[in-house]
Amino acid sequence: MDHLNSSELLKRAKHLVWIEAIFLAIVNIMAISGNISVCYAVYRNQRLRSVSNMFIVALAVSDLLISVSCMPLSVATVVQSRWVFGTTVCQLQGFAVFTFGMSSLNTMGIIAISRYFCVVKPTRYIVLFRKQRILMYTAAVWCMALIGSVPPLIFQTGGYTFQPGKAMCMYPFQSNIAYTVFIECVFVATPFTLITFCYAKVFYTVSRSNRVFTQENNPEQLRANVEEAKVTKTLALVMASFSLCWLPICIMDYIDAARGEPTLPRQIYLTYGFLAYLSSTINPFIYGATNRRFRREYKTILKKISLIFTCGRCSCRQNRTSDNPPNLAVTEL
């Protein structure tokens, strides 16, 4: 079926080529600008440098790396209707997509664990999640991701290959069932189960605490509890959006693995690629919609960008004026 997807990629109508390319390019630009904005907002505003937001920056870095190193190659592939970058770049793109995707999921797992200790066991949270330890946890996340993404580089068969339906190079999950089961159990099912348990426990604890503080007429504790609930809801929403993007992808991988080859229509696999990249794009918009401080920083960034463009236009006009001085009428005496 993969050769059929390849022929469909080559034989697309011209308007379809441009629609797919423009849509993917927009996603790429939004991913780069959005994740850079998240990092800059936390760097600029000290109040945003909380433990949770440090993990958010780590997540934004993973998404930014995907948008810089992987998305442009897929955009070019959609435009060219074939892979033109050679075998080595194909291996690197497949490795990057796999590594950054798993590091994002693992980071969300660490975020869920941190929220669990922050709300359910706050005394241990202070010890376990000091800011000095965040770098260590982030390094552990990346090491775990590398454990999953390095083996296909050394497989004699079934390594990272170009998949025309998805317009990217990926690991073909149907090529090695044992390795696929290992990846799905250790790197997908385990984090999802852990995240679900942590957020369920957090929301239960917050709901119970709200009732207690309301009955005790303790507005300060209630306000603090509400703030923690807001942070948790934002992070849970990030996880939910990630799940909505990646669960259909996992289902497609399961179908291919069960059938032993890609058998789905090209449009389905193209959706696969778009969903993978979309998951790296939507988080900054969630932060802006749910967090007032992030929203304020985004507005400041947009004002600075608009000011730069305005100053650039003014300087261009001044240069044109200086290059073409007005003709002065000579008055005869």
Side-chain angles (χ1 to χ4, degrees), residues 183-240:
I183 289 294
E184 297 295 342
C185 290
V186 176
F187 291 96
V188 179
T190 300
F192 269 115
T193 302
L194 185 64
I195 289 166
T196 302
F197 169 79
C198 287
Y199 280 127
K201 194 71 174 177
V202 165
F203 284 120
Y204 172 76
T205 303
V206 168
S207 177
R208 186 180 61 182
S209 300
N210 284 344
R211 289 196 299 269
V212 172
F213 294 142
T214 302
Q215 292 172 0
E216 293 178 352
N217 195 19
N218 191 337
E220 292 184 3
Q221 286 290 340
L222 181 61
R223 190 179 302 111
N225 212 49
V226 169
E227 287 300 317
E228 288 296 337
K230 286 181 179 179
V231 174
T232 303
K233 285 179 181 178
T234 298
L235 298 173
L237 187 58
V238 169
M239 183 59 213

Side-chain angles (χ1 to χ4, degrees), residues 4 18 200 203 238 257 263 294:
L4 294 178
W18 286 109
F203 284 120
V238 169
T263 57
F294 269 109

